[in-house]
PDB file of all heavy atoms in Angstrom:
ATOM      1  N   PRO C   1       4.783   3.705  -8.770  1.00 98.00           N
ATOM      2  CA  PRO C   1       5.254   4.532  -9.886  1.00 98.00           C
ATOM      3  C   PRO C   1       6.826   4.565 -10.058  1.00 98.00           C
ATOM      4  O   PRO C   1       7.295   5.327 -10.896  1.00 98.00           O
ATOM      5  CB  PRO C   1       4.769   5.898  -9.471  1.00 98.00           C
ATOM      6  CG  PRO C   1       4.943   5.842  -7.938  1.00 98.00           C
ATOM      7  CD  PRO C   1       4.601   4.445  -7.572  1.00 98.00           C
ATOM      8  N   THR C   2       7.550   3.829  -9.261  1.00 98.00           N
ATOM      9  CA  THR C   2       8.976   4.050  -9.202  1.00 98.00           C
ATOM     10  C   THR C   2       9.810   3.324 -10.242  1.00 98.00           C
ATOM     11  O   THR C   2      10.934   3.791 -10.555  1.00 98.00           O
ATOM     12  CB  THR C   2       9.549   3.727  -7.809  1.00 98.00           C
ATOM     13  OG1 THR C   2       9.509   2.341  -7.611  1.00 98.00           O
ATOM     14  CG2 THR C   2       8.803   4.476  -6.713  1.00 98.00           C
ATOM     15  N   GLY C   3       9.337   2.174 -10.736  1.00 98.00           N
ATOM     16  CA  GLY C   3      10.116   1.377 -11.563  1.00 98.00           C
ATOM     17  C   GLY C   3      11.197   0.538 -10.814  1.00 98.00           C
ATOM     18  O   GLY C   3      11.992  -0.098 -11.464  1.00 98.00           O
ATOM     19  N   MET C   4      11.170   0.555  -9.524  1.00 98.00           N
ATOM     20  CA  MET C   4      12.137  -0.174  -8.766  1.00 98.00           C
ATOM     21  C   MET C   4      11.714  -1.613  -8.619  1.00 98.00           C
ATOM     22  O   MET C   4      10.464  -2.009  -8.748  1.00 98.00           O
ATOM     23  CB  MET C   4      12.263   0.409  -7.345  1.00 98.00           C
ATOM     24  CG  MET C   4      12.807   1.853  -7.305  1.00 98.00           C
ATOM     25  SD  MET C   4      14.522   1.993  -7.844  1.00 98.00           S
ATOM     26  CE  MET C   4      14.293   2.698  -9.513  1.00 98.00           C
ATOM     27  N   ILE C   5      12.669  -2.517  -8.421  1.00 98.00           N
ATOM     28  CA  ILE C   5      12.332  -3.955  -8.182  1.00 98.00           C
ATOM     29  C   ILE C   5      12.948  -4.377  -6.882  1.00 98.00           C
ATOM     30  O   ILE C   5      14.074  -3.919  -6.515  1.00 98.00           O
ATOM     31  CB  ILE C   5      12.798  -4.850  -9.396  1.00 98.00           C
ATOM     32  CG1 ILE C   5      14.372  -4.698  -9.531  1.00 98.00           C
ATOM     33  CG2 ILE C   5      12.083  -4.480 -10.669  1.00 98.00           C
ATOM     34  CD1 ILE C   5      14.920  -5.683 -10.572  1.00 98.00           C
ATOM     35  N   TYR C   6      12.362  -5.353  -6.192  1.00 98.00           N
ATOM     36  CA  TYR C   6      12.878  -5.920  -4.965  1.00 98.00           C
ATOM     37  C   TYR C   6      13.788  -7.055  -5.371  1.00 98.00           C
ATOM     38  O   TYR C   6      13.444  -7.897  -6.181  1.00 98.00           O
ATOM     39  CB  TYR C   6      11.777  -6.396  -4.068  1.00 98.00           C
ATOM     40  CG  TYR C   6      11.031  -5.392  -3.271  1.00 98.00           C
ATOM     41  CD1 TYR C   6       9.979  -4.645  -3.841  1.00 98.00           C
ATOM     42  CD2 TYR C   6      11.474  -5.058  -1.949  1.00 98.00           C
ATOM     43  CE1 TYR C   6       9.304  -3.644  -3.081  1.00 98.00           C
ATOM     44  CE2 TYR C   6      10.812  -4.044  -1.231  1.00 98.00           C
ATOM     45  CZ  TYR C   6       9.752  -3.386  -1.793  1.00 98.00           C
ATOM     46  OH  TYR C   6       9.065  -2.388  -1.082  1.00 98.00           O
ATOM     47  N   THR C   7      14.964  -7.092  -4.757  1.00 97.00           N
ATOM     48  CA  THR C   7      15.869  -8.211  -5.061  1.00 97.00           C
ATOM     49  C   THR C   7      15.490  -9.466  -4.231  1.00 97.00           C
ATOM     50  O   THR C   7      14.639  -9.382  -3.332  1.00 97.00           O
ATOM     51  CB  THR C   7      17.314  -7.888  -4.584  1.00 97.00           C
ATOM     52  OG1 THR C   7      17.326  -7.691  -3.132  1.00 97.00           O
ATOM     53  CG2 THR C   7      17.764  -6.537  -5.314  1.00 97.00           C
ATOM     54  N   ARG C   8      16.028 -10.577  -4.620  1.00 98.00           N
ATOM     55  CA  ARG C   8      15.730 -11.846  -3.927  1.00 98.00           C
ATOM     56  C   ARG C   8      16.034 -11.743  -2.377  1.00 98.00           C
ATOM     57  O   ARG C   8      15.247 -12.103  -1.593  1.00 98.00           O
ATOM     58  CB  ARG C   8      16.539 -12.935  -4.533  1.00 98.00           C
ATOM     59  CG  ARG C   8      16.254 -14.287  -3.879  1.00 98.00           C
ATOM     60  CD  ARG C   8      17.012 -15.424  -4.587  1.00 98.00           C
ATOM     61  NE  ARG C   8      16.523 -15.650  -5.935  1.00 98.00           N
ATOM     62  CZ  ARG C   8      15.502 -16.416  -6.239  1.00 98.00           C
ATOM     63  NH1 ARG C   8      14.903 -17.102  -5.242  1.00 98.00           N
ATOM     64  NH2 ARG C   8      15.118 -16.586  -7.433  1.00 98.00           N
ATOM     65  N   GLU C   9      17.190 -11.064  -2.087  1.00 98.00           N
ATOM     66  CA  GLU C   9      17.599 -10.891  -0.738  1.00 98.00           C
ATOM     67  C   GLU C   9      16.632 -10.037   0.077  1.00 98.00           C
ATOM     68  O   GLU C   9      16.288 -10.294   1.221  1.00 98.00           O
ATOM     69  CB  GLU C   9      19.029 -10.337  -0.637  1.00 98.00           C
ATOM     70  CG  GLU C   9      20.080 -11.234  -1.162  1.00 98.00           C
ATOM     71  CD  GLU C   9      20.110 -11.366  -2.675  1.00 98.00           C
ATOM     72  OE1 GLU C   9      19.599 -10.473  -3.432  1.00 98.00           O
ATOM     73  OE2 GLU C   9      20.608 -12.415  -3.149  1.00 98.00           O
ATOM     74  N   GLU C  10      16.143  -8.933  -0.564  1.00 98.00           N
ATOM     75  CA  GLU C  10      15.192  -8.030   0.086  1.00 98.00           C
ATOM     76  C   GLU C  10      13.885  -8.781   0.330  1.00 98.00           C
ATOM     77  O   GLU C  10      13.276  -8.565   1.396  1.00 98.00           O
ATOM     78  CB  GLU C  10      15.001  -6.794  -0.839  1.00 98.00           C
ATOM     79  CG  GLU C  10      16.181  -5.837  -0.878  1.00 98.00           C
ATOM     80  CD  GLU C  10      16.091  -4.830  -1.923  1.00 98.00           C
ATOM     81  OE1 GLU C  10      15.361  -5.046  -2.933  1.00 98.00           O
ATOM     82  OE2 GLU C  10      16.839  -3.813  -1.812  1.00 98.00           O
ATOM     83  N   LEU C  11      13.491  -9.541  -0.659  1.00 98.00           N
ATOM     84  CA  LEU C  11      12.215 -10.309  -0.476  1.00 98.00           C
ATOM     85  C   LEU C  11      12.330 -11.338   0.594  1.00 98.00           C
ATOM     86  O   LEU C  11      11.411 -11.643   1.357  1.00 98.00           O
ATOM     87  CB  LEU C  11      11.789 -10.925  -1.808  1.00 98.00           C
ATOM     88  CG  LEU C  11      11.316  -9.944  -2.872  1.00 98.00           C
ATOM     89  CD1 LEU C  11      11.057 -10.670  -4.190  1.00 98.00           C
ATOM     90  CD2 LEU C  11      10.006  -9.227  -2.465  1.00 98.00           C
ATOM     91  N   GLU C  12      13.487 -11.985   0.726  1.00 98.00           N
ATOM     92  CA  GLU C  12      13.701 -13.022   1.732  1.00 98.00           C
ATOM     93  C   GLU C  12      13.548 -12.426   3.109  1.00 98.00           C
ATOM     94  O   GLU C  12      12.976 -12.963   4.029  1.00 98.00           O
ATOM     95  CB  GLU C  12      15.027 -13.676   1.592  1.00 98.00           C
ATOM     96  CG  GLU C  12      15.105 -14.636   0.366  1.00 98.00           C
ATOM     97  CD  GLU C  12      16.504 -15.191   0.100  1.00 98.00           C
ATOM     98  OE1 GLU C  12      17.542 -14.552   0.594  1.00 98.00           O
ATOM     99  OE2 GLU C  12      16.617 -16.163  -0.611  1.00 98.00           O
ATOM    100  N   ALA C  13      14.154 -11.227   3.257  1.00 98.00           N
ATOM    101  CA  ALA C  13      14.094 -10.506   4.604  1.00 98.00           C
ATOM    102  C   ALA C  13      12.621 -10.136   4.935  1.00 98.00           C
ATOM    103  O   ALA C  13      12.119 -10.221   6.071  1.00 98.00           O
ATOM    104  CB  ALA C  13      14.949  -9.247   4.559  1.00 98.00           C
ATOM    105  N   LEU C  14      11.840  -9.627   3.929  1.00 98.00           N
ATOM    106  CA  LEU C  14      10.498  -9.279   4.141  1.00 98.00           C
ATOM    107  C   LEU C  14       9.634 -10.508   4.374  1.00 98.00           C
ATOM    108  O   LEU C  14       8.719 -10.491   5.234  1.00 98.00           O
ATOM    109  CB  LEU C  14       9.896  -8.560   2.875  1.00 98.00           C
ATOM    110  CG  LEU C  14      10.439  -7.125   2.640  1.00 98.00           C
ATOM    111  CD1 LEU C  14      10.162  -6.669   1.254  1.00 98.00           C
ATOM    112  CD2 LEU C  14       9.822  -6.138   3.696  1.00 98.00           C
ATOM    113  N   ALA C  15       9.904 -11.589   3.683  1.00 98.00           N
ATOM    114  CA  ALA C  15       9.206 -12.845   3.877  1.00 98.00           C
ATOM    115  C   ALA C  15       9.325 -13.362   5.297  1.00 98.00           C
ATOM    116  O   ALA C  15       8.345 -13.879   5.924  1.00 98.00           O
ATOM    117  CB  ALA C  15       9.695 -13.916   2.875  1.00 98.00           C
ATOM    118  N   LYS C  16      10.485 -13.219   5.829  1.00 98.00           N
ATOM    119  CA  LYS C  16      10.764 -13.672   7.255  1.00 98.00           C
ATOM    120  C   LYS C  16       9.839 -12.923   8.240  1.00 98.00           C
ATOM    121  O   LYS C  16       9.199 -13.478   9.153  1.00 98.00           O
ATOM    122  CB  LYS C  16      12.213 -13.414   7.594  1.00 98.00           C
ATOM    123  CG  LYS C  16      12.612 -14.014   8.995  1.00 98.00           C
ATOM    124  CD  LYS C  16      14.065 -13.830   9.301  1.00 98.00           C
ATOM    125  CE  LYS C  16      14.408 -14.352  10.676  1.00 98.00           C
ATOM    126  NZ  LYS C  16      15.839 -14.094  10.959  1.00 98.00           N
ATOM    127  N   VAL C  17       9.664 -11.652   7.999  1.00 98.00           N
ATOM    128  CA  VAL C  17       8.800 -10.836   8.878  1.00 98.00           C
ATOM    129  C   VAL C  17       7.341 -11.234   8.658  1.00 98.00           C
ATOM    130  O   VAL C  17       6.581 -11.361   9.665  1.00 98.00           O
ATOM    131  CB  VAL C  17       8.968  -9.329   8.585  1.00 98.00           C
ATOM    132  CG1 VAL C  17       8.008  -8.485   9.414  1.00 98.00           C
ATOM    133  CG2 VAL C  17      10.402  -8.914   8.878  1.00 98.00           C
ATOM    134  N   ILE C  18       6.961 -11.446   7.417  1.00 98.00           N
ATOM    135  CA  ILE C  18       5.553 -11.811   7.154  1.00 98.00           C
ATOM    136  C   ILE C  18       5.187 -13.053   7.802  1.00 98.00           C
ATOM    137  O   ILE C  18       4.076 -13.238   8.353  1.00 98.00           O
ATOM    138  CB  ILE C  18       5.326 -11.887   5.580  1.00 98.00           C
ATOM    139  CG1 ILE C  18       5.516 -10.469   4.953  1.00 98.00           C
ATOM    140  CG2 ILE C  18       4.011 -12.525   5.250  1.00 98.00           C
ATOM    141  CD1 ILE C  18       5.643 -10.454   3.437  1.00 98.00           C
ATOM    142  N   VAL C  19       6.053 -14.080   7.748  1.00 98.00           N
ATOM    143  CA  VAL C  19       5.822 -15.374   8.396  1.00 98.00           C
ATOM    144  C   VAL C  19       5.776 -15.225   9.895  1.00 98.00           C
ATOM    145  O   VAL C  19       4.945 -15.760  10.584  1.00 98.00           O
ATOM    146  CB  VAL C  19       6.882 -16.350   7.954  1.00 98.00           C
ATOM    147  CG1 VAL C  19       6.742 -17.650   8.746  1.00 98.00           C
ATOM    148  CG2 VAL C  19       6.764 -16.687   6.433  1.00 98.00           C
ATOM    149  N   GLU C  20       6.773 -14.455  10.468  1.00 98.00           N
ATOM    150  CA  GLU C  20       6.760 -14.266  11.940  1.00 98.00           C
ATOM    151  C   GLU C  20       5.574 -13.534  12.440  1.00 98.00           C
ATOM    152  O   GLU C  20       4.929 -13.929  13.492  1.00 98.00           O
ATOM    153  CB  GLU C  20       8.051 -13.490  12.291  1.00 98.00           C
ATOM    154  CG  GLU C  20       9.372 -14.184  12.163  1.00 98.00           C
ATOM    155  CD  GLU C  20      10.546 -13.360  12.403  1.00 98.00           C
ATOM    156  OE1 GLU C  20      10.389 -12.078  12.561  1.00 98.00           O
ATOM    157  OE2 GLU C  20      11.661 -13.867  12.452  1.00 98.00           O
ATOM    158  N   LYS C  21       5.065 -12.561  11.682  1.00 98.00           N
ATOM    159  CA  LYS C  21       3.874 -11.814  12.093  1.00 98.00           C
ATOM    160  C   LYS C  21       2.591 -12.557  11.716  1.00 98.00           C
ATOM    161  O   LYS C  21       1.485 -12.160  12.182  1.00 98.00           O
ATOM    162  CB  LYS C  21       3.886 -10.442  11.427  1.00 98.00           C
ATOM    163  CG  LYS C  21       5.129  -9.567  11.838  1.00 98.00           C
ATOM    164  CD  LYS C  21       5.070  -9.182  13.295  1.00 98.00           C
ATOM    165  CE  LYS C  21       6.191  -8.215  13.653  1.00 98.00           C
ATOM    166  NZ  LYS C  21       6.221  -7.837  15.088  1.00 98.00           N
ATOM    167  N   ASP C  22       2.714 -13.548  10.856  1.00 98.00           N
ATOM    168  CA  ASP C  22       1.588 -14.368  10.474  1.00 98.00           C
ATOM    169  C   ASP C  22       0.515 -13.529   9.808  1.00 98.00           C
ATOM    170  O   ASP C  22      -0.607 -13.513  10.182  1.00 98.00           O
ATOM    171  CB  ASP C  22       0.971 -15.183  11.655  1.00 98.00           C
ATOM    172  CG  ASP C  22       0.166 -16.349  11.182  1.00 98.00           C
ATOM    173  OD1 ASP C  22       0.279 -16.788  10.084  1.00 98.00           O
ATOM    174  OD2 ASP C  22      -0.681 -16.811  11.994  1.00 98.00           O
ATOM    175  N   ILE C  23       0.918 -12.834   8.768  1.00 98.00           N
ATOM    176  CA  ILE C  23       0.030 -11.958   7.930  1.00 98.00           C
ATOM    177  C   ILE C  23       0.030 -12.361   6.556  1.00 98.00           C
ATOM    178  O   ILE C  23       0.902 -13.176   6.103  1.00 98.00           O
ATOM    179  CB  ILE C  23       0.389 -10.482   8.135  1.00 98.00           C
ATOM    180  CG1 ILE C  23       1.784 -10.198   7.601  1.00 98.00           C
ATOM    181  CG2 ILE C  23       0.264  -9.973   9.556  1.00 98.00           C
ATOM    182  CD1 ILE C  23       2.197  -8.766   7.500  1.00 98.00           C
ATOM    183  N   TYR C  24      -0.871 -11.931   5.781  1.00 98.00           N
ATOM    184  CA  TYR C  24      -0.915 -12.207   4.335  1.00 98.00           C
ATOM    185  C   TYR C  24      -0.043 -11.249   3.577  1.00 98.00           C
ATOM    186  O   TYR C  24       0.202 -10.054   3.969  1.00 98.00           O
ATOM    187  CB  TYR C  24      -2.312 -12.005   3.791  1.00 98.00           C
ATOM    188  CG  TYR C  24      -3.302 -13.062   4.248  1.00 98.00           C
ATOM    189  CD1 TYR C  24      -4.409 -12.730   5.101  1.00 98.00           C
ATOM    190  CD2 TYR C  24      -3.161 -14.400   3.854  1.00 98.00           C
ATOM    191  CE1 TYR C  24      -5.304 -13.692   5.538  1.00 98.00           C
ATOM    192  CE2 TYR C  24      -4.096 -15.360   4.243  1.00 98.00           C
ATOM    193  CZ  TYR C  24      -5.152 -15.006   5.053  1.00 98.00           C
ATOM    194  OH  TYR C  24      -6.059 -15.972   5.523  1.00 98.00           O
ATOM    195  N   CYS C  25       0.484 -11.743   2.421  1.00 98.00           N
ATOM    196  CA  CYS C  25       1.213 -10.835   1.545  1.00 98.00           C
ATOM    197  C   CYS C  25       0.457 -10.783   0.207  1.00 98.00           C
ATOM    198  O   CYS C  25       0.150 -11.818  -0.370  1.00 98.00           O
ATOM    199  CB  CYS C  25       2.600 -11.406   1.272  1.00 98.00           C
ATOM    200  SG  CYS C  25       3.609 -10.502   0.030  1.00 98.00           S
ATOM    201  N   VAL C  26       0.076  -9.574  -0.196  1.00 98.00           N
ATOM    202  CA  VAL C  26      -0.613  -9.399  -1.464  1.00 98.00           C
ATOM    203  C   VAL C  26       0.543  -8.947  -2.462  1.00 98.00           C
ATOM    204  O   VAL C  26       1.019  -7.823  -2.388  1.00 98.00           O
ATOM    205  CB  VAL C  26      -1.694  -8.355  -1.433  1.00 98.00           C
ATOM    206  CG1 VAL C  26      -2.297  -8.100  -2.699  1.00 98.00           C
ATOM    207  CG2 VAL C  26      -2.719  -8.733  -0.332  1.00 98.00           C
ATOM    208  N   ALA C  27       1.004  -9.910  -3.264  1.00 98.00           N
ATOM    209  CA  ALA C  27       2.106  -9.635  -4.134  1.00 98.00           C
ATOM    210  C   ALA C  27       1.592  -9.250  -5.565  1.00 98.00           C
ATOM    211  O   ALA C  27       1.154 -10.073  -6.361  1.00 98.00           O
ATOM    212  CB  ALA C  27       2.934 -10.884  -4.242  1.00 98.00           C
ATOM    213  N   ASP C  28       1.644  -7.968  -5.842  1.00 98.00           N
ATOM    214  CA  ASP C  28       1.204  -7.428  -7.133  1.00 98.00           C
ATOM    215  C   ASP C  28       2.335  -7.400  -8.115  1.00 98.00           C
ATOM    216  O   ASP C  28       3.304  -6.645  -7.969  1.00 98.00           O
ATOM    217  CB  ASP C  28       0.685  -6.016  -6.893  1.00 98.00           C
ATOM    218  CG  ASP C  28       0.115  -5.416  -8.227  1.00 98.00           C
ATOM    219  OD1 ASP C  28       0.249  -6.038  -9.308  1.00 98.00           O
ATOM    220  OD2 ASP C  28      -0.541  -4.328  -8.185  1.00 98.00           O
ATOM    221  N   GLU C  29       2.313  -8.379  -9.040  1.00 98.00           N
ATOM    222  CA  GLU C  29       3.430  -8.575  -9.960  1.00 98.00           C
ATOM    223  C   GLU C  29       2.983  -8.247 -11.439  1.00 98.00           C
ATOM    224  O   GLU C  29       3.427  -8.896 -12.340  1.00 98.00           O
ATOM    225  CB  GLU C  29       3.979 -10.003  -9.845  1.00 98.00           C
ATOM    226  CG  GLU C  29       4.490 -10.268  -8.427  1.00 98.00           C
ATOM    227  CD  GLU C  29       4.956 -11.730  -8.146  1.00 98.00           C
ATOM    228  OE1 GLU C  29       4.969 -12.457  -9.118  1.00 98.00           O
ATOM    229  OE2 GLU C  29       5.358 -11.944  -6.975  1.00 98.00           O
ATOM    230  N   MET C  30       2.112  -7.299 -11.557  1.00 97.00           N
ATOM    231  CA  MET C  30       1.534  -6.967 -12.876  1.00 97.00           C
ATOM    232  C   MET C  30       2.528  -6.648 -13.907  1.00 97.00           C
ATOM    233  O   MET C  30       2.385  -6.911 -15.081  1.00 97.00           O
ATOM    234  CB  MET C  30       0.516  -5.877 -12.757  1.00 97.00           C
ATOM    235  CG  MET C  30      -0.175  -5.478 -14.018  1.00 97.00           C
ATOM    236  SD  MET C  30      -1.267  -6.799 -14.689  1.00 97.00           S
ATOM    237  CE  MET C  30      -2.634  -6.748 -13.469  1.00 97.00           C
ATOM    238  N   TYR C  31       3.714  -6.049 -13.499  1.00 97.00           N
ATOM    239  CA  TYR C  31       4.740  -5.660 -14.432  1.00 97.00           C
ATOM    240  C   TYR C  31       5.875  -6.711 -14.515  1.00 97.00           C
ATOM    241  O   TYR C  31       6.985  -6.289 -14.899  1.00 97.00           O
ATOM    242  CB  TYR C  31       5.307  -4.322 -14.059  1.00 97.00           C
ATOM    243  CG  TYR C  31       4.270  -3.176 -14.129  1.00 97.00           C
ATOM    244  CD1 TYR C  31       3.472  -2.869 -13.037  1.00 97.00           C
ATOM    245  CD2 TYR C  31       4.168  -2.413 -15.299  1.00 97.00           C
ATOM    246  CE1 TYR C  31       2.517  -1.855 -13.155  1.00 97.00           C
ATOM    247  CE2 TYR C  31       3.219  -1.386 -15.389  1.00 97.00           C
ATOM    248  CZ  TYR C  31       2.386  -1.108 -14.313  1.00 97.00           C
ATOM    249  OH  TYR C  31       1.529  -0.060 -14.422  1.00 97.00           O
ATOM    250  N   GLU C  32       5.631  -7.910 -14.133  1.00 97.00           N
ATOM    251  CA  GLU C  32       6.645  -8.901 -14.003  1.00 97.00           C
ATOM    252  C   GLU C  32       7.421  -9.218 -15.314  1.00 97.00           C
ATOM    253  O   GLU C  32       8.656  -9.580 -15.194  1.00 97.00           O
ATOM    254  CB  GLU C  32       6.040 -10.266 -13.461  1.00 97.00           C
ATOM    255  CG  GLU C  32       5.096 -10.833 -14.449  1.00 97.00           C
ATOM    256  CD  GLU C  32       4.272 -12.028 -13.906  1.00 97.00           C
ATOM    257  OE1 GLU C  32       4.484 -12.380 -12.706  1.00 97.00           O
ATOM    258  OE2 GLU C  32       3.426 -12.545 -14.566  1.00 97.00           O
ATOM    259  N   ASN C  33       6.951  -8.989 -16.411  1.00 95.00           N
ATOM    260  CA  ASN C  33       7.691  -9.183 -17.673  1.00 95.00           C
ATOM    261  C   ASN C  33       8.512  -7.988 -18.061  1.00 95.00           C
ATOM    262  O   ASN C  33       9.450  -8.129 -18.982  1.00 95.00           O
ATOM    263  CB  ASN C  33       6.748  -9.551 -18.839  1.00 95.00           C
ATOM    264  CG  ASN C  33       6.090 -10.946 -18.729  1.00 95.00           C
ATOM    265  OD1 ASN C  33       4.943 -11.058 -18.410  1.00 95.00           O
ATOM    266  ND2 ASN C  33       6.928 -11.972 -19.072  1.00 95.00           N
ATOM    267  N   LEU C  34       8.318  -6.846 -17.445  1.00 97.00           N
ATOM    268  CA  LEU C  34       9.012  -5.654 -17.816  1.00 97.00           C
ATOM    269  C   LEU C  34      10.081  -5.364 -16.836  1.00 97.00           C
ATOM    270  O   LEU C  34      10.108  -4.481 -15.983  1.00 97.00           O
ATOM    271  CB  LEU C  34       7.997  -4.498 -17.823  1.00 97.00           C
ATOM    272  CG  LEU C  34       6.842  -4.717 -18.838  1.00 97.00           C
ATOM    273  CD1 LEU C  34       5.805  -3.548 -18.688  1.00 97.00           C
ATOM    274  CD2 LEU C  34       7.287  -4.801 -20.259  1.00 97.00           C
ATOM    275  N   ILE C  35      11.204  -6.090 -16.979  1.00 97.00           N
ATOM    276  CA  ILE C  35      12.373  -6.003 -16.157  1.00 97.00           C
ATOM    277  C   ILE C  35      13.591  -5.928 -17.024  1.00 97.00           C
ATOM    278  O   ILE C  35      13.723  -6.638 -18.046  1.00 97.00           O
ATOM    279  CB  ILE C  35      12.532  -7.203 -15.152  1.00 97.00           C
ATOM    280  CG1 ILE C  35      11.361  -7.156 -14.138  1.00 97.00           C
ATOM    281  CG2 ILE C  35      13.874  -7.238 -14.507  1.00 97.00           C
ATOM    282  CD1 ILE C  35      11.422  -8.271 -13.123  1.00 97.00           C
ATOM    283  N   TYR C  36      14.549  -5.019 -16.657  1.00 98.00           N
ATOM    284  CA  TYR C  36      15.677  -4.743 -17.596  1.00 98.00           C
ATOM    285  C   TYR C  36      17.058  -5.007 -16.949  1.00 98.00           C
ATOM    286  O   TYR C  36      17.145  -5.259 -15.777  1.00 98.00           O
ATOM    287  CB  TYR C  36      15.613  -3.214 -18.016  1.00 98.00           C
ATOM    288  CG  TYR C  36      14.209  -2.859 -18.368  1.00 98.00           C
ATOM    289  CD1 TYR C  36      13.396  -2.082 -17.558  1.00 98.00           C
ATOM    290  CD2 TYR C  36      13.605  -3.297 -19.595  1.00 98.00           C
ATOM    291  CE1 TYR C  36      12.083  -1.672 -17.893  1.00 98.00           C
ATOM    292  CE2 TYR C  36      12.330  -2.935 -19.957  1.00 98.00           C
ATOM    293  CZ  TYR C  36      11.587  -2.086 -19.084  1.00 98.00           C
ATOM    294  OH  TYR C  36      10.279  -1.818 -19.423  1.00 98.00           O
ATOM    295  N   GLU C  37      18.108  -4.898 -17.775  1.00 97.00           N
ATOM    296  CA  GLU C  37      19.449  -4.967 -17.355  1.00 97.00           C
ATOM    297  C   GLU C  37      19.821  -6.335 -16.679  1.00 97.00           C
ATOM    298  O   GLU C  37      20.657  -6.428 -15.795  1.00 97.00           O
ATOM    299  CB  GLU C  37      19.853  -3.762 -16.448  1.00 97.00           C
ATOM    300  CG  GLU C  37      19.679  -2.455 -17.076  1.00 97.00           C
ATOM    301  CD  GLU C  37      20.196  -1.317 -16.252  1.00 97.00           C
ATOM    302  OE1 GLU C  37      20.985  -1.548 -15.277  1.00 97.00           O
ATOM    303  OE2 GLU C  37      19.883  -0.135 -16.626  1.00 97.00           O
ATOM    304  N   GLY C  38      19.143  -7.371 -17.127  1.00 95.00           N
ATOM    305  CA  GLY C  38      19.447  -8.738 -16.676  1.00 95.00           C
ATOM    306  C   GLY C  38      18.991  -9.023 -15.226  1.00 95.00           C
ATOM    307  O   GLY C  38      19.411 -10.102 -14.705  1.00 95.00           O
ATOM    308  N   ASN C  39      18.150  -8.197 -14.720  1.00 96.00           N
ATOM    309  CA  ASN C  39      17.602  -8.478 -13.375  1.00 96.00           C
ATOM    310  C   ASN C  39      16.562  -9.572 -13.458  1.00 96.00           C
ATOM    311  O   ASN C  39      15.987  -9.806 -14.509  1.00 96.00           O
ATOM    312  CB  ASN C  39      16.966  -7.257 -12.755  1.00 96.00           C
ATOM    313  CG  ASN C  39      17.991  -6.263 -12.302  1.00 96.00           C
ATOM    314  OD1 ASN C  39      18.658  -6.358 -11.285  1.00 96.00           O
ATOM    315  ND2 ASN C  39      18.260  -5.216 -13.160  1.00 96.00           N
ATOM    316  N   GLU C  40      16.372 -10.299 -12.338  1.00 92.00           N
ATOM    317  CA  GLU C  40      15.364 -11.425 -12.383  1.00 92.00           C
ATOM    318  C   GLU C  40      14.121 -11.005 -11.754  1.00 92.00           C
ATOM    319  O   GLU C  40      13.990 -10.219 -10.797  1.00 92.00           O
ATOM    320  CB  GLU C  40      15.939 -12.587 -11.670  1.00 92.00           C
ATOM    321  CG  GLU C  40      16.318 -12.359 -10.153  1.00 92.00           C
ATOM    322  CD  GLU C  40      16.681 -13.698  -9.481  1.00 92.00           C
ATOM    323  OE1 GLU C  40      16.387 -14.796  -9.922  1.00 92.00           O
ATOM    324  OE2 GLU C  40      17.283 -13.533  -8.363  1.00 92.00           O
TER     325      GLU C  40
END
């Protein structure tokens, strides 16, 4: 419900942990087209 987005750097840090722990990532990107202020 927050409207927040993870930056590339934040996702890279999380991805490192996911790979190290060898777990799955369920990436829910349902709102992917709804991004503002030039964010990617």
Side-chain angles (χ1 to χ4, degrees):
T2 68
M4 296 294 107
I5 60 174
Y6 282 86
T7 65
R8 180 176 294 273
E9 293 72 25
E10 289 166 341
L11 290 174
E12 286 173 343
L14 290 165
K16 184 178 179 181
V17 175
I18 292 165
V19 172
E20 287 175 351
K21 299 294 184 180
D22 199 21
I23 60 176
Y24 290 113
C25 176
V26 179
D28 183 351
E29 301 177 1
M30 183 63 73
Y31 294 90
E32 63 191 357
N33 287 104
L34 302 174
I35 292 181
Y36 315 105
E37 299 189 13
N39 288 282
E40 63 173 339

